[in-house]
Amino acid sequence: MMFTRRRLLPILLLLLTVSGILIAAAALYIRSAPGVPVLNYHQVEDKDGNPLTLHPEQFAAQMDYLAAEGYTTITIDEMLDAAEHGAPLPEKPVVITFDDGYDDNYTNAYPILKEHGFKATIFLIYDFTDTYPGYLTWAQIEEMKESGLIRFESHTMTHANLAQLTSIDELRHEIADSHDLLSEKLGYDMQYIAYPGGRVNKEIECITRAAGYRGGFTVHCGRSTPEDGIYQMDRIPIFGANMHTLTRFKLRLALAPLIEPLEDLRLSLRAHGLTGIADWMPIP
């Protein structure tokens, strides 16, 4: 049956109405969704093709955007104090984190953060620090620490896949020893750990708690909601090879509550062998 213009009009109006309702519902859900965006970076340098790398000009544009939009950087302690004790937060809080402790965090990211007066946390791999080329030195760490802007926490001893370690002693070495050695080196107790690759389970969580950490972070995409579990807190990964457009950053920052269930669905599809469908999903 052919549709005349007269018959198409109510169909189009219905589609527009449904679309408007869905958009309004999504906007309401995002506004009411709990949690604080915790951004997860790694390297900031001029390198192409590395999925962990952000170019300095891209990082600068993202920090400029946060400043222009009225975001206030807070510490992880401030985020947990708000969740656990009702401490006040600024209207648009954001936490900035870096994993691994690359030296470009000092040479490239730190000057940009300092320009805006932004706070950040860098998770260090103890055995890599001041040991291998491309990683921070203790002198660089001390300078950043003295600025009052940068906090350092644990990313384990060797960046091992914790979920694949079968020995309790190995797990304690990675988690507890990094806590104690970094605390001694930096002059304050380590409060947080970022699990390498985000891999964590109940046993790892138990050892983390016993080691004296206040909380732990994965790389599961979503706003951080300490109320749902302080030892498996979400972050918003900001990496993906050459996909670091400012538009993509804005979408991930704004739509994290919607991206989270989509990421879960994609992981489930891959776990069931439906990789093609998972890769097709248009997630920013």
Side-chain angles (χ1 to χ4, degrees):
M1 180 177 68
M2 294 187 62
F3 285 98
T4 64
R5 189 175 300 177
R6 188 173 181 180
R7 287 178 175 174
L8 278 174
L9 183 59
I11 296 174
L12 291 173
L13 289 174
L14 176 62
L15 290 174
L16 288 172
T17 301
V18 171
S19 298
I21 292 173
L22 291 174
I23 291 171
L28 179 62
Y29 174 71
I30 291 170
R31 284 198 300 271
S32 62
V36 173
V38 179
L39 305 179
N40 176 208
Y41 294 97
H42 284 74
Q43 293 174 286
V44 180
E45 63 171 341
D46 290 312
K47 181 188 291 184
D48 290 324
N50 186 335
L52 299 181
T53 300
L54 196 74
H55 292 176
E57 62 270 20
Q58 294 168 321
F59 182 72
Q62 293 178 7
M63 297 303 102
D64 289 344
Y65 175 78
L66 292 177
E69 290 297 310
Y71 281 90
T72 301
T73 57
I74 63 171
T75 65
I76 303 170
D77 275 339
E78 289 172 322
M79 180 179 72
L80 262 67
D81 287 344
E84 296 176 346
H85 309 299
L89 286 178
E91 182 179 354
K92 298 176 74 172
V94 64
V95 176
I96 298 173
T97 68
F98 297 83
D99 285 2
D100 300 338
Y102 296 104
D103 63 356
D104 56 61
N105 293 178
Y106 171 80
T107 56
N108 295 330
Y110 177 51
I112 296 169
L113 293 168
K114 191 162 52 172
E115 179 182 341
H116 289 289
F118 280 176
K119 304 172 185 176
T121 295
I122 299 175
F123 292 97
L124 299 172
I125 307 167
Y126 184 82
D127 281 355
F128 292 10
T129 303
D130 209 6
T131 300
Y132 298 126
Y135 289 88
L136 290 168
T137 67
W138 293 117
Q140 292 169 330
I141 289 169
E142 184 63 25
E143 180 184 336
M144 288 191 282
K145 187 183 77 168
E146 289 300 314
S147 74
L149 294 175
I150 312 299
R151 174 91 179 186
F152 297 90
E153 299 289 349
S154 172
H155 201 35
T156 72
M157 291 293 294
T158 68
H159 202 269
N161 182 339
L162 299 180
Q164 291 183 350
L165 298 181
T166 56
S167 164
I168 295 296
D169 288 340
E170 287 179 308
L171 283 172
R172 286 177 178 157
H173 173 64
E174 292 291 340
I175 298 169
D177 288 356
S178 67
H179 174 280
D180 296 344
L181 290 169
L182 283 169
S183 297
E184 181 181 358
K185 194 73 178 180
L186 291 166
Y188 57 80
D189 283 341
M190 294 297 98
Q191 295 292 301
Y192 305 100
I193 186 170
Y195 309 107
R199 298 172 182 90
V200 60
N201 53 39
K202 288 298 182 182
E203 184 176 48
I204 294 168
E205 182 178 323
C206 182
I207 293 172
T208 299
R209 184 185 293 107
Y213 293 99
R214 187 181 182 185
F217 289 90
T218 71
V219 294
H220 182 268
C221 186
R223 289 180 186 170
S224 183
T225 51
E227 305 88 344
D228 295 334
I230 58 175
Y231 290 98
Q232 294 194 34
M233 291 185 285
D234 292 344
R235 290 185 286 177
I236 302 174
I238 308 296
F239 44 85
N242 298 317
M243 298 171 60
H244 298 297
T245 65
L246 185 58
T247 298
R248 181 173 184 256
F249 172 77
K250 294 176 183 178
L251 288 173
R252 291 183 77 79
L253 179 63
L255 303 180
L258 293 179
I259 293 173
E260 180 178 356
L262 292 175
E263 286 279 16
D264 290 342
L265 175 59
R266 181 156 63 180
L267 290 172
S268 179
L269 289 170
R270 285 176 175 161
H272 288 85
L274 301 173
T275 306
I277 298 175
D279 292 342
W280 173 84
M281 292 179 66
I283 300 175

